């Protein structure tokens, strides 16, 4: 089977571009600025609604919003990528679940519109427009349907289980569904 080097490079480029977008979502949710910024080049700018400016000024924003949301999850979904040499444009759909400290959950969806550049062999976002296309709030009365102590709690920062290497289950085994 012959492999076309140009097609293979295109797949590699698309995967590296996807990783840039995923790094932002994971870094934001874990309040890990190193990961968050790793998907951007140093001179990158963002139009994020409440913040428009260089990504260097966006630092600390996740932790600063904890007074408004206690837990947040950003999910990236459909993505299209157009590559032209060392420049690419990506459109990535996202969903965000934002849990307020008093119980209600804000839900929102939209798209990240990114221009990326490959500089010194590394892809990174250089311009981003964050578009919010819908939003709603789930009242506290409709949340909390699972006992929270059933699951390992999420944390912000490097105490979160996603940083553990190697990953080990530390809680005692149980089977609440056994008869």
């Amino acid at each position: 089977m012959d492999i076309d080097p140009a097609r293979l490079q295109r797949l590699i480029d698309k995967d590296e571009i996807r990783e840039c977008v995923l790094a932002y979502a994971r870094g934001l949710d874990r309040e890990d600025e190193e990961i968050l910024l790793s998907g951007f080049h140093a001179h990158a700018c963002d139009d994020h609604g409440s913040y428009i400016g260089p990504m260097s000024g966006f630092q600390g924003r996740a932790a600063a919003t904890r007074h408004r949301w206690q837990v947040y999850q950003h999910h990236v979904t459909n993505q299209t990528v157009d590559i032209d040499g060392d420049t690419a444009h990506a459109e990535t759909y996202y969903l965000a679940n934002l849990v307020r400290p008093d119980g209600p959950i804000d839900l929102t969806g939209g798209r990240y519109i990114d221009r990326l550049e490959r500089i010194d062999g590394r892809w990174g976002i250089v311009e981003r427009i964050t578009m919010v296309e819908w939003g709603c709030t789930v009242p506290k009365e409709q949340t909390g349907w699972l006992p929270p102590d059933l699951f390992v709690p999420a944390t912000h920062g490097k105490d979160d289980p996603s940083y553990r290497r190697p990953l080990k289950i530390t809680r005692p085994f149980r089977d609440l569904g056994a008869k």
Side-chain angles (χ1 to χ4, degrees):
M1 177 168 108
D2 292 332
I3 297 176
D4 179 357
R7 288 185 71 199
L8 183 58
Q9 185 60 54
R10 182 172 171 77
L11 286 173
I12 292 169
D13 290 342
K14 282 184 154 188
D15 189 58
E16 290 177 2
I17 289 166
R18 182 184 63 82
E19 290 287 336
C20 291
V21 177
L22 291 175
Y24 170 79
R26 179 167 189 249
L28 190 61
D29 292 344
R30 299 283 56 83
E31 294 181 10
D32 187 325
E33 290 185 6
E34 182 179 344
I35 292 174
L36 184 150
L37 295 174
S38 71
F40 293 83
H41 283 300
H43 62 283
C45 291
D46 183 20
D47 179 339
H48 204 88
S50 62
Y51 177 80
I52 303 171
M55 284 305 294
S56 59
F58 195 74
Q59 294 181 27
R61 301 284 289 196
T65 62
R66 192 165 314 138
H67 71 280
R68 186 167 180 191
W69 296 299
Q70 182 178 10
V71 175
Y72 18 89
Q73 295 178 332
H74 293 75
H75 308 270
V76 294
T77 62
N78 304 353
Q79 184 180 59
T80 58
V81 178
D82 299 317
I83 301 171
D84 184 11
D86 289 335
T87 300
H89 288 84
E91 175 184 36
T92 307
Y93 287 70
Y94 72 85
L95 301 168
N97 311 310
L98 313 161
V99 181
R100 295 184 199 175
D102 60 345
I105 301 172
D106 296 323
L107 304 173
T108 186
R111 294 174 290 145
Y112 301 127
I113 310 297
D114 295 322
R115 180 170 57 86
L116 301 97
E117 293 178 357
R118 181 175 24 213
I119 299 173
D120 297 328
R122 184 182 83 79
W123 284 104
I125 300 166
V126 293
E127 299 275 346
R128 165 170 281 180
I129 296 174
T130 300
M131 301 177 69
V132 174
E133 297 184 297
W134 63 271
C136 66
T137 300
V138 177
K140 181 178 181 178
E141 298 77 36
Q142 296 178 8
T143 64
W145 55 275
L146 283 174
D149 62 343
L150 281 182
F151 298 93
V152 174
T155 61
H156 298 289
K158 299 196 189 284
D159 289 339
D160 188 78
S162 64
Y163 288 90
R164 291 185 197 153
R165 299 293 185 269
L167 179 66
K168 294 280 187 193
I169 295 173
T170 58
R171 300 189 318 157
F173 289 169
R174 70 173 167 219
D175 184 356
L176 300 179
K179 295 186 181 212

